[in-house]
Amino acid sequence: MKRSSKLLSVAAATATLLALGASGASAHVSVKPDTTTAGSYALLTFGVPHGCGESPTTKVSIQIPEPITSVTPTVNPGWDVEKVMVALDTPIDDGHGGQLTERVGEIVYTAKAPLPDGYRDALVLSTKLPDTVGETLVFPTVQTCQDGESAWTQVAAEGQDPHDLELPAPTLTITAAVDEHGEVATVSDEKAAEPAKGDASTASAAGASSAPLVLSGVALALGAAGLVLGGAAFARRGAAPRGSAPHGSAPQGPAPRGKA
């Protein structure tokens, strides 16, 4: 009986801790990417789970880290959205033969009607992630409410537990691509795979290029044989045997001698 009571007490305590942990995690404005693979296009979903204290949310401002230059915000029916551009100190290549002189520095969502405390909404951004594996992107976010604001801008120092922060900024870490077996594709693996691909493509190209040559040789041989056979047939047809009568005429011979 005592053992059962202890088990129930432990189970209740565990459930309470899990509930507190879940509520604490869900209380933060956070970002959930659909992928973190380096160089990939990703959808970043920013969750707004509650107001500032008990005050309804009226605006959410998301700062975009410098490694990202272009962002496409998803239109949300309950919000107006604005892209705030900032000038680049040094123009960069836009990948299409031109240069970028400014980038998206901030996305601002303004609620058409205040989002009540205790109600959640999701704001989605589309962007291309940087190529640097292991880099952590920080998206400082300011949540403005009818009464006050919550600045989700704190970043953990080296060795500090991010869960100890009161208002942590949304973050994500760039990861390496994985192959079809779920293993991380390293640079050496990719380089090792390149010669194999090159050999296969070279063999294919060689086979493809030699095929027309073989066919051309066969065609020339057949053509030459046809000319030889045609010439022989023409020669046989054109040269009539000696003493033979032309076609369509009666054979002619010496006149018969008269009787004496």
Side-chain angles (χ1 to χ4, degrees):
M1 189 70 178
K2 291 181 179 179
R3 185 177 181 182
S4 299
S5 299
K6 289 182 179 180
L7 291 175
L8 289 174
S9 299
V10 172
T14 303
T16 302
L17 290 174
L18 289 175
L20 290 174
S23 62
S26 64
H28 298 163
V29 171
S30 59
V31 59
K32 300 294 183 184
D34 65 342
T35 180
T36 56
T37 303
S40 64
Y41 287 91
L43 293 177
L44 312 180
T45 301
F46 291 80
V48 184
H50 63 78
C52 311
E54 297 181 355
S55 180
T57 300
T58 58
K59 184 170 65 175
V60 177
S61 302
I62 305 169
Q63 296 180 32
I64 308 302
E66 289 186 4
I68 294 178
T69 58
S70 179
V71 176
T72 302
T74 300
V75 175
N76 190 309
W79 304 73
D80 292 322
V81 62
E82 175 189 5
K83 292 196 291 187
V84 180
M85 308 300 293
V86 295
L88 292 171
D89 294 334
T90 303
I92 60 175
D93 184 11
D94 64 357
H96 303 285
Q99 288 189 323
L100 293 176
T101 58
E102 59 181 8
R103 71 176 187 88
V104 179
E106 187 177 19
I107 300 293
V108 180
Y109 279 94
T110 303
K112 295 179 180 179
L115 178 66
D117 177 52
Y119 288 83
R120 183 183 183 280
D121 209 339
L123 309 174
V124 183
L125 307 181
S126 173
T127 188
K128 184 179 181 181
L129 299 178
D131 295 325
T132 309
V133 175
E135 181 176 10
T136 297
L137 302 179
V138 181
F139 299 82
T141 301
V142 177
Q143 178 185 10
T144 304
C145 300
Q146 287 182 331
D147 183 14
E149 70 176 25
S150 293
W152 305 93
T153 58
Q154 297 176 349
V155 179
E158 185 176 356
Q160 183 181 13
D161 188 347
H163 296 92
D164 293 337
L165 300 176
E166 182 181 359
L167 296 169
T171 62
L172 67 86
T173 301
I174 305 299
T175 58
V178 296
D179 60 19
E180 58 184 359
H181 303 294
E183 298 179 355
V184 176
T186 62
V187 175
S188 58
D189 291 338
E190 293 175 356
K191 289 184 177 180
E194 287 177 0
K197 293 180 180 178
D199 293 344
S201 60
T202 303
S204 299
S209 60
S210 61
L213 294 176
V214 173
L215 293 176
S216 298
V218 172
L220 289 174
L222 292 176
L227 289 175
V228 172
L229 294 175
F234 179 79
R236 286 197 301 269
R237 184 176 179 181
R242 293 181 180 179
S244 61
H247 181 71
S249 61
Q252 295 181 358
R257 295 180 181 179
K259 292 181 179 181

